[in-house]
Amino acid sequence: MSAIVEFDSVGLRYGTGAEVLRDLDFRLAKGGFYFLTGPSGAGKTSLLQLLYLARRPTRGRIQLFGQDLTDAPRDFLPDFRRRIGVVFQDFRLIRHLSAFDNVALPLRIAGTSEAELESQPELLVADEPTGNVDAEMAIRLLHLFTALNRLGTTIVVATHDISLIARTPGAQLIRIEKGTVSDPTGLLKNPPAGGARVP
Ligand SMILES: Nc1ncnc2c1ncn2[C@@H]1O[C@H](COP(=O)(O)OP(=O)(O)O)[C@@H](O)[C@H]1O
Ligand SMILES: [Mg+2]
């Protein structure tokens, strides 16, 4: 199994508060399509922020693209970020841009070259991407995600949108509750080779 992301006993606290994420132990398979679900306040946005390197964990280790980032110097991170596409929760899609250009916009701003964009982000992280868009744009976005996934991009989408999940057979659900991910079947600890690629 080739893991693109590996969390090892990861915890996160804000300031001196209690941990809002705790005991996160999971791997995401390269090429997988994952939906992150769970109630409001469970920690979805915080977990995604760790994934796209907007925050560092206060405990545990995170490996991304096969490298341990725990002790990586700060100036190491921009190169990693350029390999990650992000669609934010309050992201307003720009109507006249294609779904691809909307997703590419933050990468372009971060300095990803057109040549790098051609070869697709290796990891795409989306935080409730369809929360503020109409049904047509939601479908366009989902089509973009599945098309990127077929080309090999690993996709992680936090959502409450059951219809999105229903339209994506083969995707794997990660359920987060009260700051931790349960993995009763062990699939997240030892994902099947190739992950849950959308057919
Ligand atoms: N910047 C922050 N400072 C302090 N607490 C935060 C911050 N962001 C989120 N939290 C807290 O962390 C917990 C998880 O929040 P969040 O990751 O936004 O969950 P979700 O996206 O599942 O709704 C909540 O209790 C929330 O209040
Ligand atoms: Mg959130």
Side-chain angles (χ1 to χ4, degrees):
M1 199 284 296
S2 182
I4 192 166
V5 170
E6 187 162 347
F7 276 46
D8 200 353
S9 303
V10 167
L12 175 73
R13 63 175 79 241
Y14 291 102
T16 55
E19 283 191 328
V20 298
L21 293 175
R22 61 192 164 81
D23 304 328
L24 295 179
D25 268 300
F26 63 83
R27 297 176 196 174
L28 304 184
K30 204 179 257 180
F33 195 128
Y34 299 90
F35 284 111
L36 181 63
T37 68
S40 183
K44 299 180 296 297
T45 294
S46 302
L47 195 163
L48 294 185
Q49 287 173 341
L50 293 177
L51 268 185
Y52 63 79
L53 311 179
R55 290 187 190 286
R56 303 185 105 175
T58 43
R59 185 164 66 87
R61 305 183 87 79
I62 294 178
Q63 282 187 51
L64 197 59
F65 309 130
Q67 287 193 57
D68 193 328
L69 294 178
T70 313
D71 305 312
R74 213 156 261 286
D75 61 4
F76 204 71
L77 298 183
D79 279 343
F80 278 80
R81 287 205 189 96
R82 276 196 281 275
R83 300 161 72 177
I84 308 171
V86 185
V87 178
F88 294 101
Q89 191 161 12
D90 55 2
F91 186 68
R92 295 283 186 273
L93 288 157
I94 301 169
R95 272 233 148 257
H96 67 272
L97 293 184
S98 69
F100 178 84
D101 282 333
N102 271 293
V103 169
L105 193 59
L107 285 170
R108 290 189 166 115
I109 291 167
T112 305
S113 69
E114 293 305 310
E116 281 173 298
L117 277 177
E118 278 297 307
S119 64
Q120 320 288 341
E122 285 163 71
L123 174 65
L124 183 88
V125 175
D127 194 351
E128 306 202 23
T130 58
N132 290 313
V133 304
D134 61 29
E136 184 207 319
M137 193 49 114
I139 298 292
R140 279 169 66 187
L141 261 182
L142 188 65
H143 283 165
L144 174 69
F145 295 164
T146 54
L148 285 172
N149 184 244
R150 277 195 204 100
L151 292 167
T153 298
T154 305
I155 312 277
V156 185
V157 182
T159 190
H160 293 291
D161 191 340
I162 301 297
S163 71
L164 220 56
I165 297 172
R167 283 170 188 277
T168 318
Q172 198 171 327
L173 288 186
I174 303 173
R175 171 109 187 139
I176 183 165
E177 225 158 341
K178 294 182 184 150
T180 203
V181 164
S182 57
D183 183 18
T185 59
L187 272 177
L188 293 174
K189 196 81 175 145
N190 288 298
R197 190 181 288 253
V198 173

